[in-house]
Amino acid sequence: MNHIQGALRRTVTALVRAAALLAAGGACAGELAVGTEINAANWEQMKTQTFEGKTIESMVPDKILLAVREHGLKIWLRQSEPMTYASHIMEATAKYAPDVRYDPATRRVENYVAGIPFPDAAAIQAAPPEQAGDMIMYNVFYAGVANGDYSNCYGDVAMAVIDSKRGIQRMQGGYAIVYRTKGRTTGGPTQVGDDPNLRKIQIISFHTPYDIAGIGVYRKVYDDGRLDDIYAYVKSVRRVRRLSGGTWMDTLSTSDILNDDTYAFEAHPTWYPRITLKEKRWVLWPVHSPPVEKHDLADVLNYKDPPHWTFINKWWEPREVYVVEITTPKGHPYGKKISYVDTQLPAVFWTEAYTPGDEFWRIIYATLAPAPPGPQDGGAPPMYQLYNFGAWDFRTQHGNYMDCGRYDWNLPVKFEDMSTRLLVEASEGKRQGQHTEFGKGP
Amino acid sequence: MKKEIWAAGLGVALCAPAGSAIAEYRYTAAGGQTLTLSGYVREHLSMNLDSHPERKANGDRLDGQWELSMARTSALIQAYSNLGWGKATVIWRGVREYKTGYLDDLDDQPGQVGDLMDKYNDSEFREWYLDVTTGRVDWRLGRQQVVWGETDLFQALDLVHGYDFTWRSLIEPENEELRKPLIMLNATVRIPELGGDLQLLFRPGWDDDEDIGNTVDLFGGRWAAQPNKGVNILALAPLNLDHHSGDKDDPSYGFRWRSEIGPVSYTLNYLHTLNDNPVINSALAPYGGQAPAGLAELIYPEIDVMGASANVYSTPLDLVFRLEAAFTPNKPYNVGYVGSPMFNAFGGFVPAGFFGVKEKDTAKLMFGIDKPNLQTQRLLRTFQPSFLTFQLFDSWITNFDDDDQLVDVTSKLHEHSVVMSLGLNLNYRYDTVQPTLLFAWDATNGGGAFLPSVNFIYGNHWRLRVGASIFVTDTGQQNCSTEPVTAKGAECTHLFGTFANNDQLDVRLTYQF
């Protein structure tokens, strides 16, 4: 009798599960439904299920799985759709990419004007892995999705400093502007400024709290391998001061990331001795989050529960990525970095950093949200906003969350407006940005 | 949550407003105009580490070792408003000092007039200005601070403003707190055709007497040069800012061109202003044909300064080089140092410097090297690379003549006066513990200062800084300090000698919002 009862119970249980799966996942058994939540508690049940025909466990690399299982990271499924770029970027790509040449001897790029330099996935796939790695990261370097011709991410929690046991320790309000000087596609010449190798101007400045208000960095970034020209404003003496260009592999002040970790990858490819394409694979990652509007920090970061650094995003979808191994030069704190870069558009989703002893150290991640297209964009995003951006240091159990409280992009800002004067204005409490309404902090 | 911290023995409470984690207050009007308030409340204590040799009226040493020389409560509010068509900024600072036993002793010295605390207590709208942009011109109108040049610690081109060295002399890290703002019209014209901008400055002459030039402690307070603690020199030689060669009501004006040539950022500067430091206009030899009302007065003659500054980063050396040169023709100096022929001719009865003014061409030259990313992470276990800076500063009298008998403090001024400085900023625990070491050395006369400090960062609001100021004054052939009773040493006292016996330990707690 007991056998019969046990078998009956197992059968009923299996039927209930199957019914639940059918209800959740539609007609195909094992196929998860849009909106399904995957978390530490249900991982074992979910991992063998599929979404859009691929098993969940095949799309969650082990370091992201670590965050799911141990840090409360939750994955909510969304149906995938292609990543696209505004028509002016794709037209520039079609027009100029055929002339772009990668020289394997110098590892440099010639004839770049605008658009994505190496849009042909087949050519990347066909190249030797070390050349393919360079080409992928040159795409990020010149045409990374996180910046338009002008982008400004700003807010009251520009950086939260987080201890995984104690919570948020400090918050700094500020802004990060990137102004593209080479490869412009939103109107006017493709290049502005005197220096033909000036690629962009980047300004990161804080306006709160009082003692760091105005402390910021003004950076001229070049595409010929030259180190950046960097200036900082020292508020307490009210002077702009020249800094070393050799800081690209140093820690970004007060944070858990290095300067070359900004936007998950921020350096000239030739500064690394070798960049190798290791494989192509599928991952789940949010790239179609909703546009960044006024939001409370609690909407995007679970700072209340340990480890206080887990981001919240409900729009994960299958993406095919290149897995790129970046070999660091002598003196670099990391032994190597592994970056996950989308195969459709040059977007670095996350970078894993390893110690020189090959021990896993940090993750620097950036989830994406398409910027709403303007009239000239042909219905496609001119850039992708950072919906969640942060770093987890697994060795020190310390991390950061950089919140773009609001976003401006592709404003008609002139090159000459991008001067160190902006740093001075920040010291007086002026935040760059069109929006004045923000959500609540902690 | 309301927190109160009672500064020991002072009865001074620092009240933190209800704790918002975002460290500022911001308001938005219906029309989109914003008002942002930020600032701090601060308690700053400083303790004498030395016994002062000056004598009280009863003949006892002033002493004061281990006594508080400063118990200063200050508050600053910075209001910034974006009005849409322009931006308005107002910065107010209020200061109230507790009269410590040591300050009371200084105030009781014979010759002191009024209450010494009036020199320290203050409530002032330090800055108020409006920013407006018209076409390619950025206007800033109102009381403000303008900083020129590349030099740390000293002033070469940075002569737009004077500094107030009376409440803290030389060693406050935020020199914006010591700089004396002026009412000015400041226009920056962007000239992208030439790759730079031109700043035009005009001070109409509406400032008060105390806003002009450097203010040094001549009233016998805690930063009076040894041996003048408790001695009010201003009673003997008051300030006169209406002298016709140095009238604060006369306009000051200047320009600064800023641009880049390749990797070099540079500025070209010209300024007509009042001299940075006061000179004695003595009845014995009046300057500019205008005698003082009494025996002597302190004046700030008008001067012209022209010069250039530059900075460049060297990739192969991974160093930043800073350069500055400022030339002032006919800069005024007092003559008749202790032991000079003219001093001796009067048998030592007339103080040094009271023998008139001589104008000399002066170049101030600065050469600095910064290593902003010194790799100290392994050696000193810092969180990130450290900042190391070295600087040579030379004050050179280009048409120097020994026969002029120029005075430096009370002793002989040399053709070159060179001061070297070395600074190191370290950082620990995610930049929340920041030790700083600063060492300055007078290469011409000997003597120097060692200024170690540590800044602690607690969350968004609380900051604690603990520091010491150690002055080296008894080394070098040319450096000593005047003995108060016998006046021995007056012939060899230079800048650092005036800080003799004035080592300090200071603690500063700030709540910022």
Side-chain angles (χ1 to χ4, degrees):
Chain A
M1 280 296 286
N2 280 345
H3 289 293
I4 294 167
Q5 277 181 346
L8 193 61
R9 198 165 54 238
R10 281 196 294 277
T11 308
V12 170
T13 307
L15 280 171
V16 168
R17 273 191 190 156
L21 284 171
L22 279 171
C28 175
E31 176 75 5
L32 294 171
V34 164
T36 302
E37 178 185 324
I38 300 166
N39 55 41
N42 68 11
W43 173 257
E44 290 301 323
Q45 294 89 54
M46 293 291 178
K47 66 180 186 183
T48 53
Q49 312 289 326
T50 62
F51 185 66
E52 298 188 352
K54 298 168 198 71
T55 62
I56 296 300
E57 65 182 346
S58 74
M59 294 190 288
V60 181
D62 57 346
K63 301 302 183 287
I64 300 299
L65 178 58
L66 186 69
V68 172
R69 299 184 80 144
E70 296 182 14
H71 294 150
L73 182 65
K74 292 174 183 169
I75 295 171
W76 284 269
L77 297 173
R78 175 200 191 277
Q79 83 284 354
S80 66
E81 65 179 288
M83 287 181 83
T84 54
Y85 249 157
S87 52
H88 48 87
I89 303 175
M90 294 322 293
E91 284 158 17
T93 302
K95 183 174 175 187
Y96 298 115
D99 295 329
V100 177
R101 202 174 82 83
Y102 169 80
D103 181 351
T106 61
R107 296 180 59 213
R108 297 267 290 272
V109 168
E110 293 163 11
N111 305 330
Y112 175 77
V113 178
I116 303 170
F118 302 106
D120 183 358
I124 288 173
Q125 200 66 38
E130 293 191 1
Q131 296 179 26
D134 275 353
M135 289 156 83
I136 292 163
M137 294 326 269
Y138 269 116
N139 282 348
V140 174
F141 178 79
Y142 278 115
V145 298
N147 309 125
D149 282 3
Y150 170 94
S151 66
N152 181 12
C153 138
Y154 53 98
D156 292 332
V157 193
M159 179 148 74
V161 179
I162 302 164
D163 181 304
S164 77
K165 293 183 184 66
R166 294 184 202 137
I168 292 181
Q169 295 175 308
R170 264 185 299 161
M171 291 198 311
Q172 300 170 353
Y175 66 84
I177 292 176
V178 176
Y179 184 88
R180 198 192 295 271
T181 51
K182 185 172 190 168
R184 296 179 67 79
T185 57
T186 52
T190 57
Q191 183 155 16
V192 292
D194 296 336
D195 192 321
N197 292 114
L198 180 62
R199 190 178 75 79
K200 67 175 180 180
I201 290 171
Q202 185 170 317
I203 304 170
I204 297 174
S205 186
F206 296 105
H207 52 76
T208 56
Y210 178 82
D211 63 335
I212 63 157
I215 288 182
V217 175
Y218 175 96
R219 206 175 257 271
K220 285 180 168 176
V221 180
Y222 300 95
D223 74 346
D224 53 2
R226 237 183 304 168
L227 295 178
D228 302 345
D229 279 324
I230 307 176
Y231 301 83
Y233 184 68
V234 186
K235 185 236 182 180
S236 57
V237 298
R238 301 205 184 189
R239 223 174 74 203
V240 172
R241 191 154 194 149
R242 187 70 170 259
L243 288 185
S244 161
T247 56
W248 68 272
M249 59 170 92
D250 294 332
T251 301
L252 178 70
S253 181
T254 74
S255 80
D256 292 274
I257 68 171
L258 307 183
N259 284 310
D260 66 332
D261 291 330
T262 316
Y263 302 107
F265 179 83
E266 178 68 63
H268 195 275
T270 59
W271 293 348
Y272 305 99
R274 199 165 53 254
I275 299 177
T276 312
L277 171 59
K278 301 302 276 190
E279 62 169 325
K280 262 174 41 169
R281 64 168 292 170
W282 287 82
V283 299
L284 288 169
W285 197 251
V287 298
H288 288 98
S289 319
V292 173
E293 295 286 349
K294 178 181 170 182
H295 59 269
D296 295 346
L297 186 65
D299 297 337
V300 291
L301 179 72
N302 179 13
Y303 61 82
K304 288 168 186 159
D305 302 318
H308 309 284
W309 67 26
T310 301
F311 68 84
I312 300 167
N313 191 304
K314 300 193 171 178
W315 301 273
W316 299 61
E317 64 187 273
R319 300 297 309 171
E320 191 182 28
V321 292
Y322 298 117
V323 181
V324 177
E325 183 175 301
I326 301 169
T327 305
T328 53
K330 188 171 177 293
H332 198 290
Y334 301 154
K336 71 174 180 196
K337 304 203 285 184
I338 294 178
S339 290
Y340 293 74
V341 188
D342 193 83
T343 54
Q344 228 163 22
L345 287 186
V348 182
F349 296 160
W350 76 89
T351 294
E352 297 164 5
Y354 292 80
T355 66
D358 216 23
E359 185 189 345
F360 176 52
W361 187 354
R362 288 172 179 165
I363 279 186
I364 303 97
Y365 63 85
T367 75
L368 300 171
Q376 60 172 347
D377 295 329
M383 62 165 287
Y384 283 70
Q385 302 168 344
L386 301 177
Y387 190 88
N388 311 96
F389 174 38
W392 305 322
D393 188 323
F394 290 86
R395 295 175 82 211
T396 61
Q397 289 297 306
H398 202 267
N400 308 120
Y401 189 79
M402 284 78 156
D403 183 46
C404 292
R406 299 305 288 259
Y407 248 106
D408 294 341
W409 65 95
N410 290 349
L411 299 180
V413 175
K414 292 202 285 289
F415 172 70
E416 51 266 29
D417 292 331
M418 289 292 105
S419 78
T420 50
R421 210 172 48 249
L422 294 179
L423 298 179
V424 181
E425 289 180 356
S427 72
E428 291 148 0
K430 185 182 181 193
R431 184 204 309 107
Q432 301 295 321
Q434 295 198 314
H435 299 282
T436 54
E437 293 285 314
F438 293 86
K440 289 198 291 288
Chain B
M1 193 176 75
K2 191 171 180 181
K3 294 175 184 170
E4 285 188 336
I5 288 203
W6 290 87
L10 293 174
V12 178
L14 295 177
C15 301
S20 154
I22 293 170
E24 64 173 13
Y25 296 91
R26 192 180 305 126
Y27 310 93
T28 304
Q33 301 91 338
T34 59
L35 174 66
T36 307
L37 297 177
S38 56
Y40 64 75
V41 181
R42 174 174 289 170
E43 186 61 34
H44 196 165
L45 307 175
S46 188
M47 179 198 276
N48 290 323
L49 296 179
D50 292 324
S51 166
H52 295 283
E54 286 95 334
R55 302 285 158 167
K56 295 184 194 176
N58 64 8
D60 292 347
R61 275 172 77 98
L62 185 59
D63 194 2
Q65 191 177 26
W66 313 122
E67 290 187 48
L68 287 179
S69 65
M70 177 170 74
R72 180 182 170 94
T73 309
S74 57
L76 181 141
I77 298 172
Q78 172 171 298
Y80 165 82
S81 181
N82 191 340
L83 304 165
W85 52 270
K87 293 157 281 180
T89 304
V90 176
I91 301 173
W92 171 85
R93 187 179 71 190
V95 177
R96 190 62 48 182
E97 285 206 15
Y98 173 76
K99 193 170 193 175
T100 66
Y102 173 67
L103 289 177
D104 201 29
D105 285 349
L106 291 179
D107 207 10
D108 286 344
Q109 292 288 79
Q112 285 289 24
V113 188
D115 187 351
L116 184 61
M117 304 318 288
D118 292 343
K119 302 287 188 187
Y120 300 124
N121 293 335
D122 194 22
S123 167
E124 183 187 20
F125 285 96
R126 280 177 57 75
E127 293 178 66
W128 38 266
Y129 51 79
L130 194 62
D131 288 297
V132 182
T133 298
T134 56
R136 56 168 65 194
V137 186
D138 296 326
W139 302 88
R140 175 166 289 182
L141 311 168
R143 198 163 193 251
Q144 55 186 294
Q145 297 191 21
V146 173
V147 182
W148 285 1
E150 293 277 337
T151 302
D152 295 334
L153 306 173
F154 297 97
Q155 294 167 271
L157 288 170
D158 185 28
L159 292 179
V160 179
H161 302 272
Y163 292 82
D164 179 2
F165 294 125
T166 58
W167 63 274
R168 192 106 164 110
S169 194
L170 294 178
I171 48 182
E172 192 70 357
E174 299 94 355
N175 68 13
E176 65 174 350
E177 296 275 359
L178 302 179
R179 197 176 293 115
K180 300 195 294 184
L182 294 168
I183 302 169
M184 289 188 291
L185 185 156
N186 171 4
T188 303
V189 187
R190 279 166 279 156
I191 309 177
E193 296 84 351
L194 298 174
D197 45 54
L198 180 68
Q199 182 183 33
L200 303 167
L201 276 186
F202 182 75
R203 185 187 73 87
W206 299 340
D207 305 285
D208 293 335
D209 281 9
E210 62 264 27
D211 296 334
I212 302 299
N214 291 332
T215 306
V216 289
D217 185 343
L218 297 169
F219 50 79
R222 61 176 171 257
W223 288 105
Q226 183 180 288
N228 296 326
K229 298 272 188 299
V231 180
N232 193 340
I233 295 168
L234 293 173
L236 175 67
L239 290 174
N240 178 11
L241 282 144
D242 296 320
H243 192 276
H244 72 235
S245 61
D247 187 341
K248 74 165 170 50
D249 298 332
D250 287 347
S252 302
Y253 43 85
F255 72 84
R256 182 178 93 136
W257 167 251
R258 187 203 63 77
S259 185
E260 285 143 27
I261 303 176
V264 181
S265 293
Y266 72 95
T267 69
L268 302 173
N269 307 249
Y270 166 80
L271 184 66
H272 176 86
T273 186
L274 289 93
N275 200 34
D276 47 347
N277 288 312
V279 293
I280 299 159
N281 182 28
S282 165
L284 275 181
Y287 177 63
Q290 185 180 337
L295 284 175
E297 64 187 7
L298 293 166
I299 59 172
Y300 294 85
E302 288 168 38
I303 55 168
D304 293 284
V305 188
M306 52 214 83
S309 70
N311 63 59
V312 61
Y313 169 64
S314 162
T315 303
L317 299 171
D318 193 24
L319 295 172
V320 173
F321 293 93
R322 296 179 285 120
L323 297 163
E324 187 167 332
F327 183 69
T328 305
N330 303 318
K331 189 176 169 70
Y333 292 91
N334 282 120
V335 297
Y337 57 85
V338 173
S340 65
M342 66 176 80
F343 181 88
N344 290 339
F346 282 79
F349 291 109
V350 175
F354 279 63
F355 299 88
V357 173
K358 188 92 185 171
E359 292 173 350
K360 303 300 290 183
D361 297 342
T362 303
K364 304 243 178 182
L365 307 171
M366 185 279 292
F367 171 70
I369 305 173
D370 296 345
K371 175 74 178 170
N373 56 334
L374 188 67
Q375 301 295 317
T376 50
Q377 298 96 313
R378 290 222 175 109
L379 187 65
L380 300 174
R381 302 216 157 262
T382 57
F383 167 63
Q384 59 184 15
S386 301
F387 186 91
L388 182 70
T389 177
F390 170 78
Q391 180 177 285
L392 269 178
F393 187 83
D394 183 15
S395 301
W396 174 27
I397 295 161
T398 55
N399 56 354
F400 185 82
D401 185 345
D402 250 347
D403 295 339
D404 292 330
Q405 304 168 53
L406 304 181
V407 179
D408 179 23
V409 188
T410 50
S411 51
K412 181 182 175 178
L413 181 65
H414 297 274
E415 182 174 356
H416 288 274
S417 299
V418 178
V419 179
M420 295 187 294
S421 57
L422 189 67
L424 178 65
N425 293 347
L426 304 168
N427 50 79
Y428 293 92
R429 296 180 65 92
Y430 294 94
D431 257 356
T432 58
V433 178
Q434 305 166 334
T436 297
L437 302 170
L438 180 63
F439 188 66
W441 187 254
D442 182 338
T444 303
N445 304 300
F450 177 52
L451 309 168
S453 68
V454 186
N455 195 27
F456 298 92
I457 312 280
Y458 297 105
N460 294 330
H461 297 294
W462 292 99
R463 303 288 181 264
L464 174 70
R465 198 165 61 83
V466 180
S469 321
I470 311 294
F471 298 102
V472 182
T473 57
D474 54 357
T475 58
Q477 293 190 327
Q478 295 291 323
N479 194 288
C480 48
S481 76
T482 314
E483 206 286 316
V485 177
T486 63
K488 185 173 176 297
E491 75 287 358
C492 55
T493 293
H494 296 272
L495 173 68
F496 290 110
T498 65
F499 291 99
N501 301 308
N502 212 21
D503 293 356
Q504 300 285 313
L505 178 70
D506 74 289
V507 178
R508 192 178 88 173
L509 181 67
T510 303
Y511 176 87
Q512 61 177 17
F513 56 88

